[in-house]
Amino acid sequence: LALTLCASKQAGVDSLLVAGVGETCAMAQAFGAFVHLRTTLPPDAPSPSSALAHADILSIDIPGDTHEVYQHLGGQGQLDAQRERVAELIRRAFEGGKPGTALPLPRPWIVPRIERRDETYGEIENFYHRWLLACGACVIDPPRQLYPDQRIEALPAPANVLASTPGQTLDVDSDATVYDGAGQRLGSLHEQSILDFAGLAAEVTP
């Protein structure tokens, strides 16, 4: 089972700004879930040490690879400052929480992400090479929604992926709403524990 904690679909509040995110990650990991924390790494976020200690992958959404596109697409603060925060996390991940050590693989795995859209199309190559060299991984996401007047559209997911995802993935918004991998709302962490929802997701596995 994979658990993804991400920004709220309604409020857009970053996952690192939600109280108890570290505890939720720890509980899911204790259950045996693979924990994926997705964030924009906002400048006003508190120290993410607790959440990072229990995350297997930390995805960082970066709107653009130039200052102009970064600001145009809603980047928080300055692009250079966000790159510095990401670089610090990469350094800490390779140390495994112990300064002066060097792990063969980072823990957690740091994955910068950029959305493929008209505004970012010319920046993707530089973005890819920048972060592949820095941390060994990056993701080029398809458009998250259908944008008016955009030439680039997301391709439909393969049928086997659509069939297996609901029972293998839980998405938790920063407002504590829980969805299965198909986007079906299961409930709220204010009403049930993450372990209850893990059982619900397992029930729909083909």
Side-chain angles (χ1 to χ4, degrees):
L1 179 70
L3 173 71
T4 295
L5 294 100
C6 54
S8 168
K9 290 179 172 61
Q10 288 77 32
V13 179
D14 193 88
S15 54
L16 288 182
L17 299 177
V18 179
V21 62
E23 291 80 358
T24 299
C25 289
M27 187 180 297
Q29 199 170 58
F31 175 76
F34 183 90
V35 178
H36 172 209
L37 183 62
R38 188 164 180 172
T39 175
T40 60
L41 207 63
D44 55 342
S47 172
S49 299
S50 176
L52 294 182
H54 300 289
D56 296 291
I57 288 185
L58 179 68
S59 281
I60 303 171
D61 287 298
I62 303 177
D65 199 56
T66 62
H67 300 283
E68 294 77 15
V69 173
Y70 179 83
Q71 294 292 337
H72 175 67
L73 296 180
Q76 300 184 52
Q78 297 297 315
L79 176 57
D80 286 343
Q82 190 189 41
R83 285 176 179 164
E84 291 174 5
R85 293 194 296 275
V86 176
E88 173 62 15
L89 286 179
I90 293 170
R91 183 189 64 77
R92 289 168 52 187
F94 273 104
E95 291 177 346
K98 298 178 181 179
T101 63
L103 300 178
L105 294 174
R107 180 67 173 82
W109 196 275
I110 308 294
V111 183
R113 313 174 72 106
I114 191 171
E115 182 182 10
R116 186 190 300 273
R117 50 188 294 171
D118 287 0
E119 295 91 339
T120 62
Y121 188 76
E123 302 186 351
I124 286 176
E125 184 175 359
N126 284 341
F127 182 93
Y128 178 82
H129 289 298
R130 178 192 308 281
W131 294 113
L132 197 65
L133 288 172
C135 56
C138 69
V139 170
I140 313 301
D141 283 312
R144 300 187 185 99
Q145 62 189 59
L146 183 62
Y147 298 103
D149 304 322
Q150 290 266 327
R151 298 170 298 164
I152 300 174
E153 297 181 9
L155 296 174
N160 63 326
V161 173
L162 293 175
S164 63
T165 298
Q168 297 177 349
T169 304
L170 287 176
D171 293 336
V172 183
D173 278 352
S174 53
D175 58 5
T177 302
V178 182
Y179 303 84
D180 67 17
Q184 179 69 35
R185 186 183 187 279
L186 298 178
S188 171
L189 288 178
H190 297 308
E191 303 160 357
Q192 296 173 267
S193 77
I194 193 65
L195 304 186
D196 296 325
F197 292 114
L200 288 175
E203 290 176 4
V204 300
T205 302

